[in-house]
Amino acid sequence: MGKPITQSKQEINLYLKNVKELTKLAPEALQETVVRDSANGIAKYRREPVGVVLSICPWNYPVTTCGNILIPSILSGNAVAIKHSPYTPLIGQHFVESFKYAGAENLVVDVLMSPKYIEELYNMPEIGFVAFTGSV
């Protein structure tokens, strides 16, 4: 499985553009928000980390779709377990290596397993959120 090099470069460039945009938007998006402030009290909400995000990614746009889950998850304080398609097994490994190079080696893990074991992974108590892109 693969794609022409021009399409691969386009996907990498889109991923890099998305990383820059998501990084720019994160501080405001993650701020605590006051919904109501009155004499009766203050109502507000905040986003909190869920722990480990399981990212189940497809084969057709493996960098961009995975990155669109990975980057917001990391920016909001979560770790990520990447489960890629068997057709793109090295993508998760490259993400892990990139984060290790950046000094954040404990934030991303690559899960190489048969799809028949995903239910067991999904049911692990450490998994706080599952993001699935693809079809069944």
Side-chain angles (χ1 to χ4, degrees), residues 3-16:
K3 61 173 67 174
I5 193 71
T6 55
Q7 289 178 12
S8 298
K9 288 179 180 179
Q10 289 171 349
E11 182 178 0
I12 296 297
N13 288 332
L14 177 59
Y15 166 72
L16 294 173

Side-chain angles (χ1 to χ4, degrees), residues 12-62:
I12 296 297
N13 288 332
L14 177 59
Y15 166 72
L16 294 173
K17 178 183 167 206
N18 290 350
V19 168
K20 289 177 185 174
E21 188 65 24
L22 291 166
T23 303
K24 187 171 78 175
L25 294 172
E28 183 179 343
L30 296 172
Q31 282 183 346
E32 189 172 82
T33 303
V34 175
V35 180
R36 183 189 66 199
D37 189 355
S38 68
N40 296 328
I42 297 174
K44 56 187 171 181
Y45 68 88
R46 66 176 175 247
R47 292 169 178 87
E48 295 183 353
V50 297
V52 178
V53 173
L54 172 59
S55 174
I56 302 173
C57 303
W59 61 269
N60 54 350
Y61 289 92

Side-chain angles (χ1 to χ4, degrees), residues 68-86:
N68 288 343
I69 297 165
L70 178 71
I71 300 306
S73 298
I74 298 284
L75 290 173
S76 58
N78 299 290
V80 180
I82 301 170
K83 166 58 180 96
H84 259 285
S85 164

